[in-house]
Amino acid sequence: MARIVAGIATSHVPAVGHAVDSGRTEDDYWKPMFQGYEFSKQWVKDNPADVDIIVYNDHASYFGMDIMPTFGIGTAGKYDICDEGYGPRPVPVVMGHPALSTHIAASLILDDFDMTVLNKLDVDHGLTVPMSLMYGQPDAWPTRVIPFPVNVVMYPQPSGERCLAIGKAIRDAVANFDEDITVRVWGTGGMSHQIQGARAGLINLPWDLQFMDDLINQPEVLQYKPHLEYMIEAGSEGVELIMWLIMRGALGDNVNEVYRFNHVPASNTSVGHLILTPKD
Ligand code: DHB
Ligand code: FE
């Protein structure tokens, strides 16, 4: 049977992707942030998995005002790279796992989650920046990937309860996949940041640290945090953090904290990163 072996959470700041792509990770500004990911790069090498389910949001790069799925799942064999702003990053294409993703899609739909099934999907910095942080700059990514886009950019976003519940349903689906493979689930985005309007540049590190504690220790309480609190306390884009609840739900009731890192600021954003493993 397939098994979920770890959860990874990380911010996905586009300027971080640009620093990687333009060889600036050793610059004075960037070095302390990238150093915080050195442990993780080694850890994912030492604890390899076959498949990464990456929960992320598209930033109106592939989706937009015409189509905005609340929850989507990629079922393709391969995903091309796209992006807003400077355009697609120079990173390898992302290879999928059609058998596992179609199995999860069917399982979630039969569990009453109305998934958008994406046989074609291009992926933006929400997915590619976390991959660069964990895997560096390989010629080909080391794992198969199942992109799991969530709408966090357009009202109404899914509730925290729904996010935690769909994470649990992903856990059940993976456990019922009849192949002996290992899977990690990633939650990306956040932490506090606002990139527009009068409060642009807002960062709230104490709130971010409390969010991490709650995510680890009491996700069943955290799931009731209203979207408005994310926006007031963590900025208009801080609501991306609801995606971390999906990762947490996929790990089961109790987790081990393998690694935690925070860095402020990266561009306009508070960077947060966690590696968790399920505790049976
Ligand atoms: C920025 C964009 C993002 O999608 C994000 O998660 C953080 C920061 C930005 O444009 O700075
Ligand atoms: Fe984002």
Side-chain angles (χ1 to χ4, degrees), residues 14 91 100 102 104 120 124-125 162 243 258-259 262 278:
V91 293
L100 179 58
T102 49
I104 295 173
K120 177 169 173 7
D124 79 358
H125 69 268
R162 198 83 178 135
M243 295 184 289
V258 175
Y259 185 63
N262 292 89

Side-chain angles (χ1 to χ4, degrees), residues 112-192:
D112 296 333
F113 293 96
D114 300 316
M115 302 302 298
T116 298
V117 177
L118 299 156
N119 289 314
K120 177 169 173 7
L121 172 67
D122 300 347
V123 291
D124 79 358
H125 69 268
L127 183 138
T128 63
V129 167
M131 290 193 77
S132 298
L133 284 168
M134 302 308 289
Y135 296 133
Q137 293 179 287
D139 291 334
W141 299 118
T143 58
R144 301 277 162 165
V145 171
I146 299 179
F148 198 99
V150 178
N151 168 35
V152 299
V153 299
M154 236 162 75
Y155 180 83
Q157 294 89 346
S159 69
E161 295 105 295
R162 198 83 178 135
C163 289
L164 194 68
I166 205 168
K168 291 178 183 176
I170 291 171
R171 180 174 181 76
D172 293 341
V174 169
N176 288 318
F177 185 65
D178 197 10
E179 215 179 291
D180 189 18
I181 56 173
T182 52
V183 177
R184 292 186 293 236
V185 181
W186 303 29
T188 74
M191 297 200 85
S192 56

